[in-house]
Amino acid sequence: MTQDRRALGAFLRSRRDAISPASAGIEPFPGARRVPGLRKEELAVAAGLSPDYYSRVEQGRQATVSREVLDALARALRLDDVERAHLHDLADPVESRGVRRADGHEAAQRADPGLLRVMDALGHLPVLLLGRRGDVLAVNPLVGAVLGTTLSAGSSFLGWLFLDPVARERIVNWEVFAQASVGALRRESGRHPGDARLRRLVAEVSAADDDVARWWDDQGVRDYASVAKRIRHPALGDLEFGIEIVTGPADPEQRLVVYTVEAGSETARTLPILASWEADGQPAPVLGGREPAGPA
């Protein structure tokens, strides 16, 4: 059984366990229930498939699965758009969709010039450009000043997020942000099943944190999407950002991550102070023994 087929079966089982017969709109089959959600036979009936055929799909013994069957399963399982797309990715037998050099190795991503120009135009806001696996392709100075770390090109933003204690100290809603990032990694793994570096990253961060391992095993998926992030700065207090994701037409796997602020907000008023410290090459002062300034 290929890794793609194992992943497809695991995802289907997780979604089947997460939905009851009532939620799927069917009558439960009689008899004692040994599973928290739908039985395989119940899902087969809800999707208009034979139980034997569905068993082969879930067990990875069905070589090909048509788009029509996948859509029927997605409807029966009440999958959202991201989960549906992930299901189709997992059923695709292509081993790798990444760009490869002639020697078979993955070609390095180069920062998109258009997105870099957008980053330069947004110098008053923290902005970073991420590629596959959350690799940092470019970053402006305000990102480090806000997050309290140095993220150089070639480093891993997700490695910092999951493995550096500073990330948990700075990001007030770390758990929400981290869980969303795990879901995005799961989504990316479906698009790139042959990505060994991605598998190593997942293994490393899962081994380091039980919560991350649990989120990964839950099979939840989501796209990299706009979220809110609260940063606790040691000198400026709590900073409120809306994280907006911008992708360019040349490479949809490059994401410009922009930390936006609401006009007139406390963060909008204090961010220029941080920018001036950064421009002067001075570290932000730490308010030792006192509560930081700014909103609680």
Side-chain angles (χ1 to χ4, degrees):
M1 188 192 309
T2 67
Q3 181 179 338
D4 299 71
R5 289 296 175 255
R6 288 195 299 270
L8 174 63
F11 181 65
L12 285 170
R13 284 192 298 275
S14 73
R15 300 307 91 182
R16 180 166 61 82
D17 287 346
I19 185 171
S20 67
S23 298
I26 65 171
E27 288 294 325
F29 286 13
R33 305 191 68 82
R34 297 193 301 269
V35 295
L38 288 177
R39 297 170 175 170
K40 284 191 288 187
E41 297 81 3
E42 290 169 336
L43 176 54
V45 169
L49 308 173
S50 74
D52 179 66
Y53 180 86
Y54 176 73
S55 289
R56 292 201 305 272
V57 173
E58 188 174 294
Q59 293 169 7
R61 295 185 291 111
Q62 183 64 33
T64 60
V65 185
S66 71
R67 177 172 293 273
E68 290 74 19
V69 166
L70 295 171
D71 286 340
L73 288 170
R75 287 192 297 271
L77 290 168
R78 303 296 196 263
L79 302 187
D80 61 27
D81 290 343
V82 175
E83 292 171 322
R84 181 187 297 264
H86 184 61
L87 180 65
H88 280 271
D89 283 338
L90 294 176
D92 185 342
V94 176
E95 283 297 319
S96 178
R97 300 169 184 81
V99 178
R100 299 271 164 183
R101 302 192 312 237
D103 60 7
H105 292 87
E106 180 184 299
Q109 272 186 304
R110 296 182 179 276
D112 181 272
L115 293 179
L116 288 178
R117 288 193 292 272
V118 175
M119 175 185 286
D120 288 342
L122 296 173
H124 59 293
L125 295 172
V127 184
L128 64 161
L129 180 61
L130 300 181
R132 292 188 293 271
R133 299 171 294 270
D135 290 348
V136 176
L137 301 178
V139 62
N140 75 1
L142 266 180
V143 169
V146 167
L147 298 182
T149 189
T150 300
L151 292 169
S152 57
S155 64
S156 172
F157 177 78
L158 294 178
W160 172 79
L161 177 68
F162 294 122
L163 301 176
D164 192 331
V166 172
R168 295 172 187 262
E169 296 170 4
R170 284 289 176 116
I171 303 174
V172 177
N173 57 335
W174 181 90
E175 184 170 327
V176 173
F177 192 78
Q179 187 170 5
S181 298
V182 170
L185 268 181
R186 171 68 72 178
R187 176 80 175 92
E188 189 170 348
S189 73
R191 291 194 296 265
H192 299 284
D195 191 332
R197 287 181 57 196
L198 178 56
R199 290 198 298 271
R200 287 195 297 271
L201 173 63
V202 169
E204 182 180 10
V205 299
S206 296
D209 190 295
D210 290 341
D211 285 335
V212 173
R214 176 171 52 83
W215 296 332
W216 180 260
D217 290 341
D218 285 345
Q219 297 277 334
V221 294
R222 62 177 295 170
D223 275 330
Y224 292 101
S226 302
V227 295
K229 182 184 280 188
R230 292 181 62 201
I231 301 295
R232 180 152 294 154
H233 193 275
L236 297 177
D238 283 2
L239 306 175
E240 305 276 352
F241 295 100
I243 307 300
E244 303 298 335
I245 308 295
V246 180
T247 58
D251 184 354
E253 293 191 314
Q254 293 193 30
R255 303 175 302 282
L256 197 67
V257 183
V258 183
Y259 286 53
T260 64
V261 295
E262 185 177 348
S265 66
E266 186 69 23
T267 300
R269 289 191 290 271
T270 58
L271 195 57
I273 300 173
L274 188 58
S276 68
W277 291 337
E278 185 66 28
D280 292 340
Q282 299 177 358
V286 177
L287 304 182
R290 291 185 292 153
E291 290 295 322

